[in-house]
Amino acid sequence: MISVKDLTSGDNFFLMAGPCVIEGEDMALRIAERVVTITNKLGIPYIFKGSYRKANRSRIDSFTGIGDEKALKILQKVGTTFGIPTVTDIHESAEAAMAANYVDVLQIPAFLCRQTDLLIAAAQTGKIVNIKKGQFLSPGAMSFAVQKVVDAGNPQVMITERGTTFGYTDLVVDYRGIPQMQEFGFPVIMDVTHSLQQPNQTSGVTGGLPQLIETIAKAAIAVGTDGLFIETHPEPSVAKSDGANMLQLDLLEGLLTRLVRIREAIK
């Protein structure tokens, strides 16, 4: 079983990357194969990311998934095929044990990071629990979410910064939060792509600023983040979820190469 120490014991940052949602087996395997090739080359520990279901949608007709069990089995196949850990998000406490049968890391969505029952259920699986910071919370307030998982008997915790609500349809990143949350004693991840969302657009479809992906990522590495979270897709324009702020897969290697150089420089 993977541990937090496995991800942070080296000199490099680690990466959580993949599509927003599992759209099908071929796509998931293709993305994973490409990212594995890149991260092996650059010496970056890698966790494949994919949501088995999207519960937080602006409109009722938005794509939510291909079926829970089908998507979870695809995540499991990605892990066994490439020998890599996988992560998916859960939305209700009853989902924790189910998802834990298929993946190595359980992710708590930002809007749900204060849900005590959900945090405890995730903790009790024994899996790593990655808690996304609520867009409505200060970095310091995340200590209470972390403590719930630890008090439930699971010290395998990570925290993800994903921007803070600013106005009605935008987010900002306060990089002071990264070292502040690292003081809790757990790794901090920068969610690069979700931090560039422009939620609650009048169309009911979330917008984004993907042209700033490199800016957000470079700044996060420069201030010493432990890991990066990047949603990527071969063709973001046709992705079934969050295409407006995803990184085109062909651009990933160049970006990570430049980020490794920054990491080396600050070390």
Side-chain angles (χ1 to χ4, degrees), residues 16 49 87-90 105-109 130 132 160 229:
M16 305 173 79
K49 182 270 168 186
V87 57
T88 198
D89 40 322
I90 58 173
V105 181
L106 297 179
Q107 184 166 283
I108 308 299
N130 179 36
K132 285 198 167 185
T160 294
F229 179 109

Side-chain angles (χ1 to χ4, degrees), residues 134-208:
Q135 301 93 323
F136 47 86
L137 288 180
S138 69
M142 284 301 292
S143 64
F144 302 108
V146 169
Q147 197 60 47
K148 290 176 184 179
V149 176
V150 174
D151 287 347
N154 188 346
Q156 297 293 318
V157 184
M158 304 189 297
I159 310 165
T160 294
E161 167 62 55
R162 54 95 71 240
T164 301
T165 298
F166 182 76
Y168 290 105
T169 60
D170 208 357
L171 301 168
V172 296
V173 177
D174 182 353
Y175 287 95
R176 297 174 300 176
I178 292 176
Q180 185 176 350
M181 291 188 290
Q182 285 173 327
E183 292 179 2
F184 304 154
F186 302 95
V188 173
I189 303 159
M190 181 72 235
D191 183 341
V192 177
T193 47
H194 283 112
S195 295
L196 291 168
Q197 283 183 332
Q198 293 184 308
N200 303 318
Q201 298 296 304
T202 55
S203 65
V205 178
T206 296

